[in-house]
Amino acid sequence: MGHYDDLADSKFETGFPTRETSISLRNELVFQRAVQSYLWSLPAINIWAMKEGSESTFGAGYNVLPIWQNRIDAKTLVTTPNFDVVYAMGYLDLDKYGPLVVEAPAGVQGIFDDFWQRPIVGPTIEGHTWKGDVGLAGPDAGSGATYVLLPPGYSGPEPAEGYIYRSRTNNVFLFWRAFFADPADLSPAVNRIESTVIYPLGQKDGALPMQFPRASGVECNMLFPQDGTYFEMLDRFIQSEAVDPYDLDLRGFLHTLGIEKGKAFDPTPDDRELLDKAARTAFKMSKVTVTSLLALEPGGTYYPNQPWVNTFAGENAEFQSSGTFTNLEQRGAFFTAAYSNSPGMVVNIVDKGAKYPATMKDSEGNWLDGGNSYSLHLPPDLPAALFWSVALYDSVTASGLDNGQPFPSVNTMDKPTINPDGSHDIYFGPTKPNAADETNWLRTLPGKGYFVILRLYGPGKPFFDQTWTPGDLEPIR
């Protein structure tokens, strides 16, 4: 506790701080506020990094919607992507273009999040207020519909048609997921996404033509920084965004760092070094929330005495299921390792939405080690009405584990080898274990830790009542 002892024992003379005390405690204040600013802003900078990475690679504009036409793979660096659907992700600037209309295609599972990754509030229909969800889990129930996105403080005429969603930020994240039945033919899913049309309100005839850049196999870094450049990115976000009264206190933390809307961010060399150390510390703290703190939260694990963690315990997309506070451990754990957020992802509805149990440990409580081999038993009748998958992620960046296989995942559509009783065994290891074959083995990398996500799309009743539970990762010796 030496460092904390030094702070507590800082010298004051005749009731005033010495010069050394003023310098050390001021630096400590900057460091602490920088660490907390990093953790607080993770939802925003996670998505802002995605926007900058995407736009530098594929172009910018409301009409640009990159499609991972052959599925996303480990060459796209982004937190916990789903390798087993067809993705499209766009970034809509309501400050630059004004209200935007999105003609959403039929058959997608989509999300509108603001740039704090809060589900955007939509209409109230028959007593239910829709938030964020579009398509299969949204008000159109997958039939396709027109949505209108209004910017913060919009005071114009109320649009006459479409579902109205009111954003609290200038920027909006549009996220489509399209399912497929045959991994060898993804064209139906791609074609569905390509029927998306986006244009400024009232300007459909003069809108820019839609562009659907092909993103599969293109190297693209969409990860947020782990060092002091995080605060440079945070400044770009602050300069671009509307000021929400909800954020004023925490923006005060940024003011201490020299980040303020309308002013240049120009830290001294000493402060820049301090911010770099704060960012590197905060990033590691964010990982500790995942590895060590999340499981201690109420509902933080899915099953008694098993290490499958649940970020969305409480079924609340704002991480406020307690009713008295925001659970910052859940929030930090999710946004350091994932993006996109909506009620459809978190609520417990049989055969709807999805669930994402994740584990970083084996059955003996040890961290998963890429140099070791493991097996995972999935009992018969997996409760997933749409599909299930098992995927691997880098323990540090949370991007897909670049293991040399086409995709670091196994899914229903791949038709992995099935046991006579209808169960599945999935194998992990740097070389193929003797009991595995090419359909049910995921390669790992010696010297690199990883974690596993079991995705259940359309989770069934046996998942919720726990009459069906997955096994743990069992070491193979």
Side-chain angles (χ1 to χ4, degrees), residues 213-280:
R214 287 344 196 202
S216 292
V218 177
E219 292 189 2
C220 182
N221 187 346
M222 302 165 73
L223 296 172
F224 60 89
Q226 305 173 19
D227 60 13
T229 60
Y230 183 98
F231 294 104
E232 297 171 10
M233 186 174 285
L234 177 54
D235 178 66
R236 294 195 292 275
F237 168 77
I238 290 296
Q239 302 309 326
S240 173
E241 267 305 338
V243 176
D244 188 333
Y246 172 85
D247 298 331
L248 292 186
D249 286 347
L250 287 165
R251 283 173 179 258
F253 279 50
L254 301 187
H255 168 75
T256 303
L257 311 183
I259 297 175
E260 185 176 343
K261 188 172 178 67
K263 293 188 176 181
F265 175 50
D266 187 24
T268 66
D270 286 347
D271 278 355
R272 194 174 293 277
E273 181 180 354
L274 192 58
L275 292 175
D276 181 69
K277 292 177 181 178
R280 290 189 285 124

Side-chain angles (χ1 to χ4, degrees), residues 375-455:
S375 65
L376 168 64
H377 184 68
L378 301 175
D381 303 317
L382 271 83
L386 294 174
F387 73 89
W388 61 265
S389 73
V390 174
L392 304 186
Y393 298 94
D394 186 293
S395 59
V396 176
T397 66
S399 60
L401 188 70
D402 194 359
N403 65 356
Q405 293 176 315
F407 305 99
S409 68
V410 172
N411 65 56
T412 303
M413 296 76 71
D414 292 330
K415 297 181 172 58
T417 296
I418 188 169
N419 298 323
D421 66 352
S423 66
H424 288 82
D425 291 301
I426 309 299
Y427 296 90
F428 312 82
T431 58
K432 185 163 60 68
N434 292 334
D437 59 40
E438 294 296 338
T439 72
N440 61 5
W441 165 56
L442 291 171
R443 180 185 288 116
T444 60
L445 305 175
K448 180 174 285 293
Y450 63 93
F451 62 94
V452 175
I453 295 181
L454 169 62
R455 285 183 170 85

Side-chain angles (χ1 to χ4, degrees), residues 314-399:
E315 303 175 60
N316 186 285
E318 287 79 31
F319 306 97
Q320 295 172 346
S321 60
S322 72
T324 61
F325 65 90
T326 300
N327 191 310
L328 296 179
E329 276 63 62
Q330 289 181 343
R331 182 181 183 270
F334 183 78
F335 289 116
T336 190
Y339 61 88
S340 76
N341 183 12
S342 77
M345 292 177 61
V346 306
V347 297
N348 293 342
I349 303 178
V350 174
D351 294 335
K352 299 290 185 181
K355 293 298 176 184
Y356 310 91
T359 185
M360 294 144 280
K361 295 181 177 180
D362 65 19
S363 61
E364 299 173 356
N366 299 314
W367 302 121
L368 297 176
D369 184 336
N372 297 335
S373 295
Y374 308 89
S375 65
L376 168 64
H377 184 68
L378 301 175
D381 303 317
L382 271 83
L386 294 174
F387 73 89
W388 61 265
S389 73
V390 174
L392 304 186
Y393 298 94
D394 186 293
S395 59
V396 176
T397 66
S399 60

Side-chain angles (χ1 to χ4, degrees), residues 30-62:
V30 171
F31 181 85
Q32 290 189 16
R33 289 193 173 171
V35 167
Q36 294 307 315
S37 295
Y38 187 111
L39 297 172
W40 162 65
S41 61
L42 269 173
I45 304 310
N46 185 319
I47 204 72
W48 189 265
M50 292 172 61
K51 168 186 164 72
E52 288 193 352
S54 176
E55 291 181 349
S56 66
T57 305
F58 305 112
Y62 66 80

